[in-house]
PDB file of all heavy atoms in Angstrom:
ATOM      1  N   HIS B  45       9.557  -9.221   0.378  1.00  0.00           N
ATOM      2  CA  HIS B  45       9.178 -10.007  -0.825  1.00  0.00           C
ATOM      3  C   HIS B  45      10.174  -9.655  -1.989  1.00  0.00           C
ATOM      4  O   HIS B  45      11.063  -8.794  -1.841  1.00  0.00           O
ATOM      5  CB  HIS B  45       7.732  -9.751  -1.226  1.00  0.00           C
ATOM      6  CG  HIS B  45       7.425  -8.372  -1.659  1.00  0.00           C
ATOM      7  ND1 HIS B  45       7.702  -7.872  -2.926  1.00  0.00           N
ATOM      8  CD2 HIS B  45       6.783  -7.362  -1.042  1.00  0.00           C
ATOM      9  CE1 HIS B  45       7.320  -6.610  -3.019  1.00  0.00           C
ATOM     10  NE2 HIS B  45       6.780  -6.252  -1.839  1.00  0.00           N
ATOM     11  N   ASP B  74       5.648 -13.571  -3.917  1.00  0.00           N
ATOM     12  CA  ASP B  74       4.234 -13.420  -4.184  1.00  0.00           C
ATOM     13  C   ASP B  74       3.879 -12.559  -5.396  1.00  0.00           C
ATOM     14  O   ASP B  74       3.006 -12.902  -6.170  1.00  0.00           O
ATOM     15  CB  ASP B  74       3.493 -12.899  -2.969  1.00  0.00           C
ATOM     16  CG  ASP B  74       4.088 -11.547  -2.423  1.00  0.00           C
ATOM     17  OD1 ASP B  74       5.131 -11.096  -2.994  1.00  0.00           O
ATOM     18  OD2 ASP B  74       3.608 -11.040  -1.329  1.00  0.00           O
ATOM     19  N   HIS B  75       4.694 -11.459  -5.585  1.00  0.00           N
ATOM     20  CA  HIS B  75       4.220 -10.510  -6.647  1.00  0.00           C
ATOM     21  C   HIS B  75       4.362 -10.973  -8.057  1.00  0.00           C
ATOM     22  O   HIS B  75       3.476 -10.727  -8.883  1.00  0.00           O
ATOM     23  CB  HIS B  75       5.036  -9.190  -6.421  1.00  0.00           C
ATOM     24  CG  HIS B  75       4.476  -8.314  -5.379  1.00  0.00           C
ATOM     25  ND1 HIS B  75       4.532  -8.710  -4.026  1.00  0.00           N
ATOM     26  CD2 HIS B  75       3.931  -7.119  -5.346  1.00  0.00           C
ATOM     27  CE1 HIS B  75       4.042  -7.758  -3.265  1.00  0.00           C
ATOM     28  NE2 HIS B  75       3.669  -6.794  -4.017  1.00  0.00           N
ATOM     29  N   ILE B 123       0.590 -14.429  -0.367  1.00  0.00           N
ATOM     30  CA  ILE B 123       0.764 -13.001  -0.355  1.00  0.00           C
ATOM     31  C   ILE B 123       1.256 -12.605   1.033  1.00  0.00           C
ATOM     32  O   ILE B 123       0.703 -13.072   2.069  1.00  0.00           O
ATOM     33  CB  ILE B 123      -0.582 -12.318  -0.648  1.00  0.00           C
ATOM     34  CG1 ILE B 123      -1.162 -12.727  -2.000  1.00  0.00           C
ATOM     35  CG2 ILE B 123      -0.344 -10.778  -0.641  1.00  0.00           C
ATOM     36  CD1 ILE B 123      -2.533 -12.218  -2.267  1.00  0.00           C
ATOM     37  N   VAL B 124       2.278 -11.781   1.064  1.00  0.00           N
ATOM     38  CA  VAL B 124       2.972 -11.443   2.299  1.00  0.00           C
ATOM     39  C   VAL B 124       1.980 -11.002   3.420  1.00  0.00           C
ATOM     40  O   VAL B 124       2.171 -11.362   4.557  1.00  0.00           O
ATOM     41  CB  VAL B 124       4.080 -10.395   1.979  1.00  0.00           C
ATOM     42  CG1 VAL B 124       3.494  -9.064   1.463  1.00  0.00           C
ATOM     43  CG2 VAL B 124       5.050 -10.176   3.142  1.00  0.00           C
ATOM     44  N   HIS B 125       0.954 -10.236   3.049  1.00  0.00           N
ATOM     45  CA  HIS B 125       0.062  -9.763   4.064  1.00  0.00           C
ATOM     46  C   HIS B 125      -1.035 -10.806   4.448  1.00  0.00           C
ATOM     47  O   HIS B 125      -1.844 -10.531   5.348  1.00  0.00           O
ATOM     48  CB  HIS B 125      -0.634  -8.447   3.605  1.00  0.00           C
ATOM     49  CG  HIS B 125       0.406  -7.445   3.160  1.00  0.00           C
ATOM     50  ND1 HIS B 125       1.491  -7.115   3.880  1.00  0.00           N
ATOM     51  CD2 HIS B 125       0.495  -6.812   1.961  1.00  0.00           C
ATOM     52  CE1 HIS B 125       2.193  -6.305   3.162  1.00  0.00           C
ATOM     53  NE2 HIS B 125       1.632  -6.082   2.029  1.00  0.00           N
ATOM     54  N   ASP B 144       6.146  -2.505   1.130  1.00  0.00           N
ATOM     55  CA  ASP B 144       4.834  -2.711   0.453  1.00  0.00           C
ATOM     56  C   ASP B 144       3.784  -1.888   1.150  1.00  0.00           C
ATOM     57  O   ASP B 144       3.657  -2.007   2.396  1.00  0.00           O
ATOM     58  CB  ASP B 144       4.443  -4.207   0.460  1.00  0.00           C
ATOM     59  CG  ASP B 144       3.310  -4.500  -0.500  1.00  0.00           C
ATOM     60  OD1 ASP B 144       2.197  -4.171  -0.093  1.00  0.00           O
ATOM     61  OD2 ASP B 144       3.625  -5.022  -1.536  1.00  0.00           O
ATOM     62  N   HIS B 146       0.610  -2.012   1.433  1.00  0.00           N
ATOM     63  CA  HIS B 146      -0.515  -2.709   2.083  1.00  0.00           C
ATOM     64  C   HIS B 146      -0.103  -3.393   3.391  1.00  0.00           C
ATOM     65  O   HIS B 146      -0.910  -4.132   3.965  1.00  0.00           O
ATOM     66  CB  HIS B 146      -1.233  -3.651   1.133  1.00  0.00           C
ATOM     67  CG  HIS B 146      -1.952  -2.821   0.065  1.00  0.00           C
ATOM     68  ND1 HIS B 146      -1.483  -2.690  -1.200  1.00  0.00           N
ATOM     69  CD2 HIS B 146      -3.056  -2.095   0.065  1.00  0.00           C
ATOM     70  CE1 HIS B 146      -2.221  -1.877  -1.897  1.00  0.00           C
ATOM     71  NE2 HIS B 146      -3.217  -1.509  -1.118  1.00  0.00           N
ATOM     72  N   ASN B 237      -6.206  -2.891   5.493  1.00  0.00           N
ATOM     73  CA  ASN B 237      -5.515  -3.070   4.230  1.00  0.00           C
ATOM     74  C   ASN B 237      -5.623  -1.825   3.360  1.00  0.00           C
ATOM     75  O   ASN B 237      -4.656  -1.360   2.791  1.00  0.00           O
ATOM     76  CB  ASN B 237      -6.029  -4.295   3.538  1.00  0.00           C
ATOM     77  CG  ASN B 237      -5.519  -4.467   2.084  1.00  0.00           C
ATOM     78  OD1 ASN B 237      -6.039  -3.918   1.173  1.00  0.00           O
ATOM     79  ND2 ASN B 237      -4.528  -5.277   1.936  1.00  0.00           N
ATOM     80  N   GLY B 361      -9.384 -12.153  -5.514  1.00  0.00           N
ATOM     81  CA  GLY B 361      -8.061 -12.380  -5.052  1.00  0.00           C
ATOM     82  C   GLY B 361      -7.506 -11.126  -4.343  1.00  0.00           C
ATOM     83  O   GLY B 361      -8.227 -10.185  -4.056  1.00  0.00           O
ATOM     84  N   SER B 362      -6.168 -11.127  -4.051  1.00  0.00           N
ATOM     85  CA  SER B 362      -5.394 -10.051  -3.433  1.00  0.00           C
ATOM     86  C   SER B 362      -5.337 -10.026  -1.935  1.00  0.00           C
ATOM     87  O   SER B 362      -6.206 -10.719  -1.278  1.00  0.00           O
ATOM     88  CB  SER B 362      -5.921  -8.659  -3.905  1.00  0.00           C
ATOM     89  OG  SER B 362      -6.902  -8.187  -3.026  1.00  0.00           O
ATOM     90  N   CYS B 363      -4.446  -9.262  -1.363  1.00  0.00           N
ATOM     91  CA  CYS B 363      -4.326  -9.185   0.095  1.00  0.00           C
ATOM     92  C   CYS B 363      -5.567  -8.497   0.769  1.00  0.00           C
ATOM     93  O   CYS B 363      -5.704  -8.474   1.957  1.00  0.00           O
ATOM     94  CB  CYS B 363      -3.062  -8.491   0.458  1.00  0.00           C
ATOM     95  SG  CYS B 363      -2.910  -6.817  -0.183  1.00  0.00           S
ATOM     96  N   THR B 364      -6.426  -7.912  -0.061  1.00  0.00           N
ATOM     97  CA  THR B 364      -7.651  -7.310   0.443  1.00  0.00           C
ATOM     98  C   THR B 364      -8.675  -8.324   0.706  1.00  0.00           C
ATOM     99  O   THR B 364      -9.385  -8.351   1.722  1.00  0.00           O
ATOM    100  CB  THR B 364      -8.175  -6.182  -0.497  1.00  0.00           C
ATOM    101  OG1 THR B 364      -7.113  -5.436  -0.874  1.00  0.00           O
ATOM    102  CG2 THR B 364      -9.274  -5.417   0.131  1.00  0.00           C
ATOM    103  N   GLY B 422      -1.008 -16.035  -4.859  1.00  0.00           N
ATOM    104  CA  GLY B 422      -0.065 -15.004  -5.193  1.00  0.00           C
ATOM    105  C   GLY B 422      -0.860 -13.708  -5.432  1.00  0.00           C
ATOM    106  O   GLY B 422      -2.023 -13.654  -5.282  1.00  0.00           O
ATOM    107  N   CYS B 423      -0.111 -12.721  -5.845  1.00  0.00           N
ATOM    108  CA  CYS B 423      -0.782 -11.417  -6.050  1.00  0.00           C
ATOM    109  C   CYS B 423      -1.575 -11.370  -7.376  1.00  0.00           C
ATOM    110  O   CYS B 423      -2.571 -10.663  -7.548  1.00  0.00           O
ATOM    111  CB  CYS B 423       0.298 -10.311  -6.091  1.00  0.00           C
ATOM    112  SG  CYS B 423       1.159 -10.097  -4.484  1.00  0.00           S
ATOM    113  N   SER B 424      -1.018 -12.090  -8.360  1.00  0.00           N
ATOM    114  CA  SER B 424      -1.768 -12.235  -9.579  1.00  0.00           C
ATOM    115  C   SER B 424      -2.261 -10.977 -10.272  1.00  0.00           C
ATOM    116  O   SER B 424      -1.501  -9.965 -10.326  1.00  0.00           O
ATOM    117  CB  SER B 424      -2.936 -13.261  -9.294  1.00  0.00           C
ATOM    118  OG  SER B 424      -3.651 -13.591 -10.433  1.00  0.00           O
ATOM    119  N   CYS B 426      -4.031  -8.633  -9.278  1.00  0.00           N
ATOM    120  CA  CYS B 426      -4.020  -7.388  -8.429  1.00  0.00           C
ATOM    121  C   CYS B 426      -3.000  -6.434  -9.008  1.00  0.00           C
ATOM    122  O   CYS B 426      -3.232  -5.212  -9.055  1.00  0.00           O
ATOM    123  CB  CYS B 426      -3.745  -7.625  -7.016  1.00  0.00           C
ATOM    124  SG  CYS B 426      -3.581  -6.138  -6.037  1.00  0.00           S
ATOM    125  N   ILE B 427      -1.816  -6.947  -9.469  1.00  0.00           N
ATOM    126  CA  ILE B 427      -0.748  -6.070  -9.878  1.00  0.00           C
ATOM    127  C   ILE B 427      -0.303  -6.417 -11.276  1.00  0.00           C
ATOM    128  O   ILE B 427       0.477  -5.708 -11.939  1.00  0.00           O
ATOM    129  CB  ILE B 427       0.414  -6.030  -8.865  1.00  0.00           C
ATOM    130  CG1 ILE B 427       1.434  -4.961  -9.210  1.00  0.00           C
ATOM    131  CG2 ILE B 427       1.068  -7.409  -8.737  1.00  0.00           C
ATOM    132  CD1 ILE B 427       2.385  -4.655  -8.068  1.00  0.00           C
ATOM    133  N   SER B 444      -9.707  -6.653  -5.509  1.00  0.00           N
ATOM    134  CA  SER B 444      -8.407  -6.058  -5.027  1.00  0.00           C
ATOM    135  C   SER B 444      -8.576  -4.603  -4.540  1.00  0.00           C
ATOM    136  O   SER B 444      -9.729  -4.228  -4.234  1.00  0.00           O
ATOM    137  CB  SER B 444      -7.370  -6.206  -6.221  1.00  0.00           C
ATOM    138  OG  SER B 444      -7.883  -5.486  -7.338  1.00  0.00           O
ATOM    139  N   ASN B 445      -7.494  -3.875  -4.488  1.00  0.00           N
ATOM    140  CA  ASN B 445      -7.557  -2.628  -3.844  1.00  0.00           C
ATOM    141  C   ASN B 445      -7.212  -1.386  -4.674  1.00  0.00           C
ATOM    142  O   ASN B 445      -7.378  -0.276  -4.237  1.00  0.00           O
ATOM    143  CB  ASN B 445      -6.589  -2.637  -2.621  1.00  0.00           C
ATOM    144  CG  ASN B 445      -5.274  -3.313  -3.033  1.00  0.00           C
ATOM    145  OD1 ASN B 445      -4.676  -2.947  -3.975  1.00  0.00           O
ATOM    146  ND2 ASN B 445      -4.863  -4.330  -2.313  1.00  0.00           N
ATOM    147  N   ARG B 446      -6.779  -1.587  -5.899  1.00  0.00           N
ATOM    148  CA  ARG B 446      -6.379  -0.421  -6.709  1.00  0.00           C
ATOM    149  C   ARG B 446      -6.985  -0.556  -8.123  1.00  0.00           C
ATOM    150  O   ARG B 446      -6.866  -1.547  -8.796  1.00  0.00           O
ATOM    151  CB  ARG B 446      -4.816  -0.333  -6.796  1.00  0.00           C
ATOM    152  CG  ARG B 446      -4.278   0.205  -5.484  1.00  0.00           C
ATOM    153  CD  ARG B 446      -2.812   0.500  -5.549  1.00  0.00           C
ATOM    154  NE  ARG B 446      -2.499   1.073  -4.266  1.00  0.00           N
ATOM    155  CZ  ARG B 446      -1.404   0.812  -3.539  1.00  0.00           C
ATOM    156  NH1 ARG B 446      -0.475  -0.004  -4.051  1.00  0.00           N
ATOM    157  NH2 ARG B 446      -1.206   1.442  -2.418  1.00  0.00           N
ATOM    158  N   ARG B 451      -3.499  -0.717 -13.782  1.00  0.00           N
ATOM    159  CA  ARG B 451      -3.060  -1.600 -12.674  1.00  0.00           C
ATOM    160  C   ARG B 451      -3.185  -3.059 -12.936  1.00  0.00           C
ATOM    161  O   ARG B 451      -2.337  -3.872 -12.578  1.00  0.00           O
ATOM    162  CB  ARG B 451      -3.868  -1.142 -11.428  1.00  0.00           C
ATOM    163  CG  ARG B 451      -3.667  -2.062 -10.248  1.00  0.00           C
ATOM    164  CD  ARG B 451      -2.368  -1.742  -9.467  1.00  0.00           C
ATOM    165  NE  ARG B 451      -2.210  -2.640  -8.344  1.00  0.00           N
ATOM    166  CZ  ARG B 451      -1.290  -2.538  -7.383  1.00  0.00           C
ATOM    167  NH1 ARG B 451      -0.365  -1.570  -7.519  1.00  0.00           N
ATOM    168  NH2 ARG B 451      -1.225  -3.340  -6.367  1.00  0.00           N
TER     169      ARG B 451
HETATM  170  S1  SF4 C   1      -2.096  -8.549  -3.513  1.00  0.00           S
HETATM  171 FE1  SF4 C   1      -1.827  -6.635  -4.645  1.00  0.00          FE
HETATM  172  S2  SF4 C   1      -1.901  -4.997  -3.173  1.00  0.00           S
HETATM  173 FE2  SF4 C   1      -1.570  -6.960  -2.043  1.00  0.00          FE
HETATM  174  S3  SF4 C   1       0.665  -7.153  -1.782  1.00  0.00           S
HETATM  175 FE3  SF4 C   1       0.054  -8.212  -3.683  1.00  0.00          FE
HETATM  176  S4  SF4 C   1       0.248  -6.656  -5.303  1.00  0.00           S
HETATM  177 FE4  SF4 C   1       0.276  -5.576  -3.398  1.00  0.00          FE
END
Side-chain angles (χ1 to χ4, degrees):
Chain B
H45 66 79
D74 53 1
H75 281 66
I123 304 173
V124 63
H125 310 308
D144 192 285
H146 292 101
N237 173 275
S362 90
C363 58
T364 311
C423 296
S424 182
C426 172
I427 190 165
S444 58
N445 43 52
R446 287 188 174 137
R451 170 79 179 188

